């Protein structure tokens, strides 16, 4: 039995290494490395008609290839790019824990990261986030990102103590992305609006609005519905001074 378990672990590690060799790409900013995963484009059904929220109507979306962060941006990477760390709850601090910041602060971070690397990192679109959370073209149609058991893949109130934990310490999803459900909820680039009902290609959402979208659920939350891949939340800029969220970088595969 022990031998069988060890062999299963070995096979899983070999499969992960093979995947990372093919789809992983490592970048460095001021000595701090971070990994992006190539998400092969495809067509999927975004939204959820079973949701009581009429803003989440199912519709067909086609995406081109893109990269997305294997983890949320860590505090170590933030400090490497920005030079200092804004005020945070003591229990949330840690180089390998997710960074949270205001919308405008993230724009500054991205601009400085791009100056350092000469690349064009950005926030993911809502469609890119959802497709990646689902596992892209490797999706097994889980409720949460990587499992139907929230505890396997997410830090949420019942197992987190209400604060952030080091990234990549829960089970990844099918694309070896960590913390797509739980830990720090993350900004995406879209203004909030009801989903369209017609097929879309590389959608970026409306050009303006009143609320920004954030996805994934947070370690301070206990209601499991918040952590579903299909769940979407929004917040008005009026309240930005009261809320900090995380970020998972994206990069077009051009």
């Amino acid at each position: 039995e022990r031998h069988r378990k060890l062999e299963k672990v070995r096979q899983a590690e070999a499969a992960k290494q093979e995947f990372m060799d093919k789809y992983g790409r490592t970048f460095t900013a001021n000595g701090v490395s971070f990994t992006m995963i190539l998400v092969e484009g495809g067509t999927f059904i975004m939204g959820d008609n079973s949701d009581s929220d009429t803003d989440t109507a199912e519709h067909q979306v086609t995406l081109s290839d893109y990269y997305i962060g294997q983890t949320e941006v860590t505090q170590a990477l933030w400090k490497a790019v920005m030079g200092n760390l804004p005020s945070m709850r003591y229990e949330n601090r840690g180089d390998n824990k997710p960074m949270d910041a205001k919308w405008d602060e993230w724009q500054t971070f991205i601009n400085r990261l791009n100056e350092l690397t000469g690349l064009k990192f950005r926030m993911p679109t809502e469609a890119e986030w959802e497709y990646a959370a689902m596992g892209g073209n490797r999706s097994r149609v889980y409720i949460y990102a990587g499992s139907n058991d929230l505890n396997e893949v997410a830090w949420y109130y019942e197992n987190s103590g209400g604060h952030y934990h080091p990234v990549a310490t829960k089970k990844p999803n099918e694309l070896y992305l960590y913390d797509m459900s739980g830990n720090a909820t993350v900004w995406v680039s879209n203004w909030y609006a009801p989903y369209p009902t017609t097929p879309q290609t590389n959608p970026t959402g409306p050009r303006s609005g009143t609320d920004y979208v954030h996805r994934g659920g947070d370690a301070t939350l206990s209601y499991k519905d918040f952590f579903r891949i299909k769940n979407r939340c929004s917040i008005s800029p009026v309240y930005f001074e009261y809320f900090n969220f995380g970020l998972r970088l994206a990069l077009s595969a051009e």
Side-chain angles (χ1 to χ4, degrees), residues 157-193:
Y157 188 80
E158 276 68 12
N159 65 13
S160 71
H163 58 83
Y164 298 153
H165 285 251
V167 299
T169 50
K170 286 289 187 178
K171 178 184 172 183
N173 77 348
E174 300 92 320
L175 296 175
Y176 295 97
L177 300 173
Y178 295 88
D179 303 308
M180 293 294 286
S181 293
N183 226 357
T185 189
V186 295
W187 296 109
V188 293
S189 62
N190 298 57
W191 288 100
Y192 189 91

Side-chain angles (χ1 to χ4, degrees), residues 87-89 92 100-105 164 185 187 214 218 220 235-246:
S87 176
M88 296 181 69
R89 288 170 51 197
N92 280 343
D100 63 20
K102 296 176 174 57
W103 175 274
D104 290 342
E105 292 172 331
Y164 298 153
T185 189
W187 296 109
H214 57 97
D218 189 271
T220 62
I235 186 171
S236 168
V238 172
Y239 301 107
F240 276 9
E241 64 180 295
Y242 305 110
F243 291 93
N244 291 358
F245 296 135

Side-chain angles (χ1 to χ4, degrees), residues 24 36 44 55 66 68 71 74 76 87 96 106 138 177 180 183 185 192 199 221:
M36 306 285 286
F44 72 108
D55 287 354
Y66 60 99
I68 195 164
T71 70
T74 63
S87 176
N96 202 33
W106 279 119
R138 299 162 64 96
L177 300 173
M180 293 294 286
N183 226 357
T185 189
Y192 189 91
L221 302 173

Side-chain angles (χ1 to χ4, degrees), residues 113-148:
L113 177 63
N114 289 343
E115 290 172 2
L116 285 170
T117 61
L119 297 170
K120 295 181 179 179
F121 292 102
R122 56 180 174 79
M123 289 183 171
T125 66
E126 188 174 13
E128 287 173 335
W129 185 94
E130 185 166 313
Y131 185 58
M134 291 171 60
N137 58 18
R138 299 162 64 96
S139 178
R140 296 176 185 171
V141 200
Y142 291 126
I143 298 171
Y144 312 108
S147 179
N148 290 327

